[in-house]
Amino acid sequence: MTMLGNFDFDVIRRALPYLFFEGMRFTLTLTALAAFGGLVFGTLIALMRLSSYKWLGRIAGFYVDFIRSLPLVLVIFWFYFLVPYIGQWLTGASRPITVGAFASSLITFIAFEAAYFSEIMRAGIQSISKGQPAAASALGLTYAQSMRYVVLPQAFRNMLPVLLTQTIVLFQDTSLVYVLSIPDFLGAASKVAQRDGRLVEMYLFAALVYFVISCVASFGVRRLQSRIAIVR
Amino acid sequence: MIEINHVNKWYGPTFQVLKDCTTSVAKGEVVVVCGPSGSGKSTLIKCVNALEPIQGGDITLDGVKVNDPKTDLPKLRSRVGMVFQHFELFPHLRIIDNLRLAQEKVLGRKSDDATAKGMKLLERVGLKDHAKKFPAELSGGQQQRVAIARALAMDPIAMLFDEPTSALDPEMISEVLDVMVDLAREGMTMMVVTHEMGFANKVADRVIFMDRGEIVEDAKKADFFGTPRSDRAQKFLSKILQH
């Protein structure tokens, strides 16, 4: 009773521009770029895993297993603090090189999402019957052309709902960059909460925003899924 | 045109699918390959354009050795048309785009030329009005006719048919066979794996009978249907002709 009685909606209202124009913009940018990068590298890893060169497949398989057995938040943290020193060692510079928090977290997320997306794309490629690449080959298309024009577009379309669902998970996971004190949406809400001493309001509001966006996106994915099912 | 010399092929270390197969298809000739399922006939035809590798013997296509590692396989395959049992149209592309893809990406034809060529061939197989549709909107027989048009769009020097009517409902078989008969009469070099003995009777020059990976009989059409020399071919024919 007292908690709700003390509820200060005005704190939220005043923080809205900061929360959305700074925080949410960062969160959405990171989500979009990480999803795109993850899809590109994930597709390459999937092709490596399905390659007839066994050693390529083994390297890709090791990478995926390795990434999947690490806690994401730990890697975000370590990557941010270690990369400047690795960079220094590689370039032979006299001081640790500077890598921005955004670049560092983006690279970490792409590395992680590539592993997850690669498994999705692998399933997608395997869902295409062998007759399709055979028909493409029979027409004279090279392996690369057959992948680009025949197999991957179909695999991507079949997997689109799963890829988007994974992207919604990614959208939530980007809040882990709080360990680098980056003002993403949650980080921004947290900053306001600490500054104004309004922890309950800000964290409840942040939870509500993540919930609504994820829910609406999931609903959209389900609609899309049923539409794809009809086309096929 | 197609020379198959002492071809051997194994699946895995022990199972031999093709045993010392030797035959040929001359320019303009129509050769029908038949035999019970599992006899290796589909495998043999897929070896001709190297969709399946062989472990022994030689295959030559228009003077080019198919099983030579130095052969540019995509280029070689672009010169031979192939029609599959399950059509294998590209479901994400419209019919006309199915016909355009390889013309543009492999032969480097201009978009307009590829479209014109595609439309001409669709007209020929009686499907001009369906150019803008997706494969899933067509019946099996229509899809297979599109698949034939797609192969012809590459101006092939020979056509390979791998059981082109086996996946079709009975009432759609003849519309596909009609297209193939026309093609044969125009002098196209054809190698056709099929059980359609009516088709063989109509246009084949020679009939090959395969069983358990071997070419058991390789005879002129008249001889094959008159008196097959082997018991196995006789048994096979009596089974499929009694209906």
Side-chain angles (χ1 to χ4, degrees):
Chain A
M1 183 62 205
T2 42
M3 191 183 109
L4 278 183
N6 290 333
F7 216 96
D8 183 1
F9 288 103
D10 207 47
V11 170
I12 298 169
R13 194 191 54 77
R14 274 181 278 125
L16 280 181
Y18 174 63
L19 288 179
F20 281 92
F21 291 125
E22 299 267 325
M24 190 50 83
R25 195 168 72 181
F26 181 95
T27 294
L28 290 178
T29 311
L30 183 60
T31 304
L33 291 178
F36 179 76
L39 182 63
V40 170
F41 286 102
T43 303
L44 285 176
I45 293 169
L47 289 175
M48 281 171 71
R49 286 200 87 167
L50 296 170
S51 153
S52 48
Y53 300 103
K54 290 276 179 295
W55 56 274
L56 266 183
R58 243 175 257 141
I59 293 172
F62 175 78
Y63 175 79
V64 172
D65 290 341
F66 179 71
I67 287 286
R68 294 220 284 188
S69 41
L70 291 174
L72 175 54
V73 66
L74 193 71
V75 178
I76 293 172
F77 191 72
W78 272 113
F79 201 82
Y80 182 60
F81 287 105
L82 274 184
V83 161
Y85 293 98
I86 296 172
Q88 180 189 19
W89 179 67
L90 282 177
T91 58
S94 56
R95 296 150 108 264
I97 58 163
T98 43
V99 178
F102 179 75
S104 162
S105 53
L106 178 61
I107 293 169
T108 311
F109 273 103
I110 288 178
F112 260 82
E113 291 311 306
Y116 293 121
F117 281 168
S118 80
E119 288 297 279
I120 299 171
M121 283 310 285
R122 183 165 74 128
I125 293 167
Q126 284 175 324
S127 74
I128 309 301
S129 84
K130 282 201 174 129
Q132 288 285 306
S137 298
L139 284 164
L141 271 72
T142 61
Y143 171 81
Q145 288 175 322
S146 153
M147 279 295 157
R148 175 163 170 208
Y149 299 113
V150 175
V151 177
L152 287 180
Q154 292 184 61
F156 180 74
R157 202 182 62 174
N158 291 355
M159 288 296 132
L160 193 56
V162 192
L163 290 169
L164 288 173
T165 303
Q166 178 63 33
T167 305
I168 295 171
V169 175
L170 165 65
F171 166 70
Q172 295 161 4
D173 283 352
T174 54
S175 60
L176 290 175
V177 295
Y178 82 90
V179 292
L180 306 182
S181 320
I182 294 176
D184 73 316
F185 184 72
L186 182 62
S190 164
K191 263 187 194 158
V192 175
Q194 316 271 347
R195 186 194 63 195
D196 298 353
R198 288 288 172 182
L199 295 157
V200 178
E201 287 88 341
M202 292 314 292
Y203 282 121
L204 265 180
F205 179 68
L208 182 74
V209 170
Y210 276 106
F211 177 77
V212 167
I213 292 179
S214 300
C215 254
V216 169
S218 295
F219 178 73
V221 171
R222 264 204 302 283
R223 293 259 322 247
L224 181 82
Q225 205 162 13
S226 55
R227 270 184 49 198
I228 289 179
I230 292 168
V231 172
R232 256 193 281 159
Chain B
M1 178 73 68
I2 303 170
E3 303 283 342
I4 299 171
N5 288 315
H6 303 290
V7 166
N8 284 296
K9 178 178 174 61
W10 284 266
Y11 280 139
T14 51
F15 182 63
Q16 191 169 6
V17 266
L18 295 177
K19 295 173 192 159
D20 198 34
C21 294
T22 298
T23 188
S24 65
V25 182
K27 191 171 186 324
E29 204 176 19
V30 176
V31 173
V32 163
V33 185
C34 63
S37 65
S39 60
K41 53 196 191 307
S42 281
T43 307
L44 181 69
I45 202 169
K46 282 183 183 142
C47 291
V48 173
N49 62 353
L51 286 183
E52 292 277 357
I54 58 175
Q55 279 87 43
D58 277 317
I59 297 179
T60 317
L61 196 65
D62 195 33
V64 182
K65 201 169 143 191
V66 174
N67 52 315
D68 185 336
K70 288 197 282 285
T71 299
D72 181 354
L73 280 180
K75 193 177 168 201
L76 184 73
R77 289 178 182 134
S78 72
R79 302 177 61 211
V80 207
M82 185 160 209
V83 175
F84 296 83
Q85 182 176 0
H86 296 287
F87 331 132
E88 303 301 351
L89 296 181
F90 305 134
H92 60 303
L93 299 178
R94 291 174 196 281
I95 298 301
I96 186 66
D97 297 329
N98 262 275
L99 271 75
R100 280 174 47 202
L101 180 67
Q103 289 192 69
E104 291 175 21
K105 304 300 175 196
V106 178
L107 302 180
R109 284 184 186 150
K110 293 225 166 60
S111 168
D112 289 349
D113 298 343
T115 307
K117 176 103 189 167
M119 289 308 290
K120 214 169 87 188
L121 283 160
L122 282 179
E123 187 167 13
R124 176 182 171 160
V125 297
L127 294 168
K128 203 176 69 167
D129 299 339
H130 300 277
K132 290 278 164 58
K133 288 186 181 169
F134 284 96
E137 298 173 79
L138 268 55
S139 73
Q142 291 173 325
Q143 287 192 49
Q144 194 63 300
R145 283 187 279 154
V146 172
I148 295 172
R150 182 176 70 178
L152 291 175
M154 303 295 284
D155 293 318
I157 54 170
M159 289 281 288
L160 307 171
F161 292 85
D162 181 14
E163 306 209 33
T165 57
S166 303
L168 294 176
D169 291 333
E171 75 269 21
M172 293 172 185
I173 290 177
S174 66
E175 65 188 69
V176 172
L177 288 180
D178 287 347
V179 173
M180 291 169 61
V181 167
D182 285 347
L183 209 53
R185 292 202 168 131
E186 282 168 25
M188 175 62 80
T189 308
M190 291 164 70
M191 188 167 174
V192 186
V193 174
T194 185
H195 288 156
E196 295 295 331
M197 288 302 128
F199 170 79
N201 214 349
K202 222 184 241 170
V203 293
D205 296 297
R206 277 179 25 243
V207 180
I208 291 171
F209 173 75
M210 288 186 73
D211 192 19
R212 288 174 228 159
E214 287 172 293
I215 294 182
V216 178
E217 196 125 5
D218 184 348
K220 288 232 153 45
K221 174 178 64 183
D223 297 339
F224 184 81
F225 287 115
T227 44
R229 278 161 290 177
S230 67
D231 288 349
R232 283 193 271 181
Q234 273 176 16
K235 262 188 203 147
F236 176 75
L237 275 183
S238 68
K239 266 185 206 153
I240 64 168
L241 290 180
Q242 68 189 197
H243 301 294

